Amino acid sequence: MKAVTWHGRRDVRVETVPDPKIEEPTDAIIEVTSTNICGSDLHLYEVLGAFMNEGDILGHEPMGIVREVGKEVGDLAVGDRVVIPFQISCGSCYMCDQQLYTQCETTQVRDQGMGAALFGYSELYGSVPGGQAELLRVPQAQFTHIKVPSGPPDSRFVYLSDVLPTAWQSVAYADVPQGGSVTVLGLGPIGDMAARIAAHRGYDVTAVDLVPERLARASARGIRTIDLNALDTTVGDAVRDLTGGRGTDSVIDAVGMEAHGSPVAQIAQRLTGLLPDAVAKKMMQTVGVDRLDALYSAIDIVRRGGTISLIGVYGGMADPMPMLTLFDKQVQLRMGQANVKKWVDDIMPLLTDEDPLGVDTFASHTLALDEAPHAYDIFQKKRDGAVKIVLRP
Ligand SMILES: NC(=O)c1ccc[n+]([C@@H]2O[C@H](COP(=O)([O-])OP(=O)(O)OC[C@H]3O[C@@H](n4cnc5c(N)ncnc54)[C@H](O)[C@@H]3O)[C@@H](O)[C@H]2O)c1
Ligand SMILES: [Zn+2]
Ligand SMILES: [Zn+2]
């Protein structure tokens, strides 16, 4: 089959690799019909390269048709149309019983001290072959799937793998009071969708980015935006100006570890990309390597006693945090990978022909799987208006 494979910093290729096979009775094989590139893939493309191995298959946002099943996959059957969540979870352990699927105790990557295994997400998350491929082996398939009806186009459902539940969780964790206000930092796919969901719920939303077409997408949906490039104050001051000097009730950080505006950490990240893997891993563990500009902005923007929801991914083990401010402002912090299946029943009623969240037009680009190297390049560089790219195997 053809698959998108990792070969080094900013080097992904489309190669022919062996077809996956059923290995466990709980496995299924799906034929992938749509598979997205995610902002999380960009971290692997550059900063987290030390944890990748040459030839690893990327991707964790696939959907398709079940082609083969093991003997213990419950009611999953050949021919079913399914979206595959980015995390692999059993559905029946202590953590899954609490709907903390990204902490599944059956698939936790214990040798790395990490949570549930993820598709296509480095040795930190189990080195599981990913879904940017023609075929995908789904472990724990009895639970690791979302059945969707046939009929509507893939675009209606494909974001259930990650964008929709992740954005939904970010809004839920932001704990905005009824009719309250929230600032969304970052208008990549995750922040864009989080802003749409927050607005749909009737909150007062302010969204922040610095890429013109991303700001324009949010404004077109009636969301107030702040362009970082047009500010001559801090973003905290700009938000306080809009909120009687107080700041918003909640802030969602949908930027994560590669924030713009963090020159020192950018050099540290660049350096880790050039070091031998063993040294780079050590550095990630002992030096604050995250670019924390968005997180620092969040701490500044949130009103006293408010909540910050971190949905952007961070990876440093020794990041410097302004504990005095966090403590004094009495900030609540919630974070983590999205527990995808926890939110599906809430989201499904919004995936109708009326399309209130705009999923049918959410992708800026739909490209052939063969074009993956170009797709990664324009998505990382934010060229050609690339916001969300769907690949078609
Ligand atoms: N927690 C989860 O389960 C989960 C799931 C998916 C993605 N993510 C993470 O969410 C983050 C966003 O993902 P995405 O797909 O939207 O990626 P993206 O890289 O396209 O979006 C990031 C956006 O942030 C903007 N930005 C950069 N610096 C900023 C700053 N200082 N202030 C405001 N905006 C700034 C960028 O211009 C960009 O538009 C990534 O870190 C990704 O890894 C987390
Ligand atoms: Zn993703
Ligand atoms: Zn489990």
Side-chain angles (χ1 to χ4, degrees), residues 16-136:
T16 301
V17 302
D19 287 359
K21 293 193 172 46
I22 300 279
E23 293 172 22
E24 303 287 337
T26 48
D27 286 354
I29 305 289
I30 70 156
E31 183 182 330
V32 177
T33 52
S34 292
T35 183
N36 310 327
I37 305 179
C38 176
S40 297
D41 294 324
L42 293 181
H43 305 318
L44 306 176
Y45 193 53
E46 183 129 21
V47 178
L48 293 179
F51 298 98
M52 294 295 285
N53 293 298
E54 182 136 23
D56 281 354
I57 301 175
L58 292 159
H60 59 265
E61 301 192 4
M63 70 175 291
I65 306 292
V66 177
R67 287 296 174 226
E68 237 184 295
V69 289
K71 288 198 173 62
E72 292 168 27
V73 295
D75 63 358
L76 190 66
V78 169
D80 284 346
R81 188 185 194 200
V82 289
V83 178
I84 304 301
F86 70 83
Q87 66 239 210
I88 302 165
S89 49
C90 74
S92 57
C93 69
Y94 176 83
M95 291 294 170
C96 286
D97 283 348
Q98 302 186 55
Q99 297 189 297
L100 289 165
Y101 304 122
T102 58
Q103 314 303 327
C104 172
E105 289 181 343
T106 306
T107 73
Q108 269 180 22
V109 186
R110 290 190 170 78
D111 59 348
Q112 301 284 334
M114 301 297 277
L118 309 181
F119 288 102
Y121 218 74
S122 87
E123 57 193 43
L124 286 173
Y125 287 103
S127 295
V128 183
Q132 286 164 11
E134 290 176 319
L135 297 168
L136 174 68

Side-chain angles (χ1 to χ4, degrees), residues 156-180:
R156 186 73 52 84
F157 303 116
V158 71
Y159 306 110
L160 283 170
S161 55
D162 186 339
V163 173
L164 284 165
T166 297
W168 197 276
Q169 178 169 304
S170 78
V171 177
Y173 279 16
D175 202 17
V176 189
Q178 198 165 10

